[in-house]
Amino acid sequence: MKNIIGNINKAFDHRIRLGIMSILMVNEFADFKSLKELLGATDGNIASHTKALEKQKYIKVEKSFINRKPNTRYLVTDKGRKAFQEHLDALEKLLNSGKGG
């Protein structure tokens, strides 16, 4: 039998990373505070998981100042968009493989 989970991307195994990518796929960008609030995660969770996605070059980080306050925002890269879509396609195939006909 063919390996039906072979195309599932380990980078998206964790629910926080899955959430970050889901948010960035449907928004032009999201800032640190928004990700933290939307995902109900701690600063440390967001920091470590965005760093992991950045290391894979799936997201890009932009740092700036807004009214003298630091602002960090995240954007999905073309590579990240492609990898996440392939991951979603693999999940869909996995779900459909269980159908009997």
Side-chain angles (χ1 to χ4, degrees):
M1 182 175 176
K2 185 180 166 209
N3 180 356
I4 59 173
I5 62 169
N7 289 331
I8 293 182
N9 191 325
K10 278 193 71 64
F12 309 126
D13 272 358
H14 195 281
R15 65 185 182 89
I16 300 292
R17 282 184 237 150
L18 186 65
I20 291 167
M21 290 301 293
S22 296
I23 291 166
L24 294 179
M25 289 289 284
V26 297
N27 293 284
E28 186 178 340
F29 64 87
D31 64 19
F32 188 92
K33 183 179 175 189
S34 297
L35 290 176
K36 182 180 167 184
E37 289 173 359
L38 288 167
L39 298 172
T42 64
D43 286 2
N45 280 149
I46 298 297
S48 66
H49 290 296
T50 53
K51 194 173 299 267
L53 292 168
E54 183 185 14
K55 188 176 179 182
Q56 294 288 324
K57 298 191 181 345
Y58 290 160
I59 64 171
K60 182 170 78 168
V61 180
E62 292 181 349
K63 295 183 180 262
S64 64
F65 286 89
I66 298 175
N67 296 327
R68 297 189 205 177
K69 291 183 183 178
N71 180 269
T72 302
R73 70 181 200 170
Y74 303 92
L75 303 88
V76 68
T77 63
D78 289 340
K79 179 181 179 181
R81 188 171 300 282
K82 181 178 186 291
F84 195 68
Q85 188 59 57
E86 288 171 355
H87 178 74
L88 293 177
D89 292 345
L91 287 174
E92 188 173 351
K93 283 180 187 166
L94 177 62
L95 291 171
N96 290 329
S97 72
K99 293 181 180 176

